């Protein structure tokens, strides 16, 4: 039996030097595995929320929360996106930016 475990860290967006290229979801300059505090001094202020998930557990990461996952043992993970009233407007905006809104004209 393989007992899977993973460490999840959730960060605050401004401290990761976000860039919004062609999406409402940012990409980040910071490499969290090898941080360069000279180039990214705000990263020192970052205090991520960390949690360890054990086999069978689930974590909901809200829209817009940058996160990093590290598998602590061999793992099989399933990830999905969920749209409800908390992120509906952002999801529509992302569809428009990506050019998909015409496919979902009922939105």
């Amino acid at each position: 039996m393989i007992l899977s475990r993973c460490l999840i860290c959730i960060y605050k967006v401004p401290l990761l030097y976000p860039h919004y290229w062609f999406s409402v979801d940012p990409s980040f300059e910071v490499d969290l595995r090898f941080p360069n505090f000279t180039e990214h001094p705000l990263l020192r202020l970052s205090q991520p929320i960390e949690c360890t998930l054990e086999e069978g557990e689930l974590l909901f990461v809200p829209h817009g929360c940058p996160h990093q996952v590290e598998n602590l043992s061999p793992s099989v993970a399933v990830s999905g996106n969920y749209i409800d009233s908390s992120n509906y407007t952002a999801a529509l905006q992302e569809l428009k930016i990506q050019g998909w809104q015409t496919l979902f004209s009922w939105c």
Side-chain angles (χ1 to χ4, degrees), residues 7 13 19-20 22 25 28 31 33 35 38 53 61-62 64 78 85 93-94 104 106:
L7 173 67
V13 173
H19 292 285
Y20 298 86
F22 302 105
D25 292 322
F28 304 97
D31 183 348
R33 294 171 297 142
T38 303
L53 292 183
V61 178
V78 176
S85 61
Q93 185 179 3
E94 182 68 20
F104 300 97
W106 49 268

Side-chain angles (χ1 to χ4, degrees), residues 47-69:
Q47 296 180 357
I49 299 169
E50 294 184 356
C51 70
T52 301
L53 292 183
E54 303 292 340
E55 183 177 356
E57 293 183 326
L58 172 82
L59 177 68
F60 174 76
V61 178
H63 167 75
C65 290
H67 57 285
Q68 175 184 9
V69 179

Side-chain angles (χ1 to χ4, degrees), residues 3-59:
L3 298 177
S4 60
R5 297 178 70 226
C6 67
L7 173 67
I8 299 179
C9 300
I10 300 174
Y11 296 85
K12 292 184 179 179
V13 173
L15 301 178
L16 300 181
Y17 299 81
H19 292 285
Y20 298 86
W21 300 107
F22 302 105
S23 173
V24 294
D25 292 322
S27 53
F28 304 97
E29 284 182 29
V30 175
D31 183 348
L32 296 171
R33 294 171 297 142
F34 306 105
N36 183 330
F37 296 114
T38 303
E39 283 187 30
H40 306 105
L42 291 178
L43 188 56
R44 286 192 187 282
L45 302 174
S46 179
Q47 296 180 357
I49 299 169
E50 294 184 356
C51 70
T52 301
L53 292 183
E54 303 292 340
E55 183 177 356
E57 293 183 326
L58 172 82
L59 177 68

Side-chain angles (χ1 to χ4, degrees), residues 85-107:
S85 61
S86 71
N87 62 358
Y88 179 77
T89 302
L92 285 180
Q93 185 179 3
E94 182 68 20
L95 287 173
K96 182 182 267 185
I97 290 170
Q98 297 297 328
W100 287 90
Q101 192 170 22
T102 55
L103 292 176
F104 300 97
S105 59
W106 49 268
C107 295

